[in-house]
Amino acid sequence: MIFKLAACAALVSLAVIPVKGVDHQVTVGGTGIIAYNPNQVTAAAGDTVTFTFMQKNHTATQSTLQNPCQPVAGGFDSGFIPVADTTTTGFPNAVFTVEDTTPVWVFCRQANHCQQGMVFAINPGSNFAAFQAAATGNSTASTSATSAPAASSTAYPGSTTPTSSSPQVHQVVVGGTDKLFYTPSNITAAAGDVIMFQFQQKNHTITQSSFATPCRELTLTSTSGQVGFDSGFMPVAANATTFPTWNLTVNDTSPIWAYCRQAGHCGSGMVFSVNSVESGPNNFAAFQAAAEQQNGSTTATSSASSSSGTTKSKASGASMIQINRGAGIAVALVGVVVGSML
Ligand SMILES: *[C@@H]1O[C@H](CO)[C@@H](O)[C@H](O)[C@H]1NC(C)=O
Ligand SMILES: *[C@@H]1O[C@H](CO)[C@@H](O)[C@H](O)[C@H]1NC(C)=O
Ligand SMILES: *[C@@H]1O[C@H](CO)[C@@H](O)[C@H](O)[C@H]1NC(C)=O
Ligand SMILES: *[C@@H]1O[C@H](CO)[C@@H](O)[C@H](O)[C@H]1NC(C)=O
Ligand SMILES: *[C@@H]1O[C@H](CO)[C@@H](O)[C@H](O)[C@H]1NC(C)=O
Ligand SMILES: *[C@@H]1O[C@H](CO)[C@@H](O)[C@H](O)[C@H]1NC(C)=O
Ligand SMILES: *[C@@H]1O[C@H](CO)[C@@H](O)[C@H](O)[C@H]1NC(C)=O
Ligand SMILES: *[C@@H]1O[C@H](CO)[C@@H](O)[C@H](O)[C@H]1NC(C)=O
């Protein structure tokens, strides 16, 4: 939790945008209300959307136009924010920073709230009605357990903040059409947390390596006989709509370095870290640079030195949502808005 709060401070500073935009206020729920009000806003890059959570127990969770009631991998999620019926002041809020004018689709993960039409959108254009209809058209309960982080047990007014609160599940998307990277590519996690890697299009792995040799299996390089984890190859068809997952348990807070074993991928920067110390020399960027240097961008087994231009793709459009609970403790989650590439 200490790490999480520290990371939060860093994220908050990153989220500061030079020209301050408009803040759009949205209330979530309330006694007898299963809705966001308003249910849509038109916003510009740099604007913020402040969700104020009223009575009951709701979320603001990113989905897609196609699947309004399903969390999108890598999207933002406030987690459940319960508010007692007797609450009259100090309602918690979550602030979402708008990165660009791409539509952002949001729903409430609670029970069947989405199916009752509890959806919200930023810049939906003319598609809001279709989005809401798709949500209510589904009588099937959503897989509400998927990716549920245990955020609701932390930092809630009146409760103590146990450092050993239930473990979080971090979602990381591996690959995808034209995406030779992990999204997000580096995360902070507590001991006991689980990282759920969701493999998208192509054929990738998540394989443990070391900071010194980013593109080789730890199992092969360890001088102490350490066995590194390896998901194995997870081929996913170009037309796939469901994606296999592979879970990794974080056992302590020491840095974890990993890469994709598929030919050429690591050399083009497809690496991942957990708990890298971003303020020191062994940071994620240095690790990625070492991967590109050691394994080049040529597909064959690398013989060092100059190679053709690296078309390095990076996830961008990272957005942040900051949650301010009544007690004034902030927790931040990073979400990545689907796909823009360099
Ligand atoms: C409706 O539910 C089905 C089955 O859970 C799911 O595959 C589909 O994506 C859902 N549709 C919408 C619009 O959420
Ligand atoms: C809020 O809702 C979630 C999901 O239904 C549930 O797990 C959690 O216990 C609820 N919290 C409270 C305080 O009711
Ligand atoms: C990176 O280069 C090393 C040394 O040539 C090689 O052993 C390793 O297999 C390469 N890794 C990948 C993922 O190609
Ligand atoms: C996935 O990649 C591995 C390594 O390149 C290869 O052996 C395997 O056949 C591939 N699987 C598919 C289905 O393409
Ligand atoms: C994906 O394409 C393959 C052949 O290219 C086809 O056999 C399969 O039915 C397709 N799957 C879906 C879900 O469209
Ligand atoms: C990974 O963990 C998630 C969340 O607990 C679970 O839904 C999923 O089935 C797990 N995947 C595997 C392959 O065990
Ligand atoms: C944590 O421990 C489990 C069980 O020993 C192991 O499978 C897993 O790879 C470990 N996680 C890491 C990040 O090393
Ligand atoms: C590592 O993650 C942090 C937090 O998500 C992000 O701000 C930073 O840009 C990442 N570093 C690199 C080199 O991608």
Side-chain angles (χ1 to χ4, degrees), residues 14-54:
L14 282 177
V16 173
I17 286 162
V19 179
K20 184 151 172 51
V22 175
D23 181 54
H24 305 265
Q25 299 272 338
V26 176
T27 61
V28 183
T31 306
I33 302 171
I34 299 185
Y36 299 87
N37 184 22
N39 61 14
Q40 54 187 298
V41 298
T42 300
D47 285 4
T48 49
V49 177
T50 299
F51 297 97
T52 300
F53 289 80
M54 310 300 284

Side-chain angles (χ1 to χ4, degrees), residues 56-153:
K56 304 298 178 194
N57 181 358
H58 302 284
T59 78
T61 305
Q62 190 172 1
S63 65
T64 58
L65 176 57
Q66 292 72 30
N67 294 298
C69 303
Q70 308 268 333
V72 64
F76 70 81
D77 185 3
S78 66
F80 287 100
I81 304 198
V83 175
D85 286 343
T86 50
T87 306
T88 51
T89 57
F91 294 99
N93 64 56
V95 182
F96 176 74
T97 303
V98 178
E99 298 273 26
D100 56 40
T101 54
T102 311
V104 175
W105 309 101
V106 175
F107 75 109
C108 174
R109 279 203 284 126
Q110 186 60 275
N112 63 349
H113 289 188
C114 183
Q115 288 76 11
Q116 291 182 64
M118 188 169 181
V119 292
F120 173 81
I122 304 170
N123 298 322
S126 57
N127 286 329
F128 186 81
F131 176 56
Q132 195 170 39
T136 57
N138 242 15
S139 51
T140 352
S142 76
T143 54
S144 60
T146 311
S147 83
S152 56
S153 62

Side-chain angles (χ1 to χ4, degrees), residues 247-274:
N247 292 342
L248 177 69
T249 302
V250 176
N251 301 313
D252 55 52
T253 53
S254 57
I256 298 170
W257 309 102
Y259 72 110
C260 174
R261 281 201 284 127
Q262 188 59 274
H265 290 190
C266 186
S268 73
M270 188 168 181
V271 293
F272 177 76
S273 75
V274 183

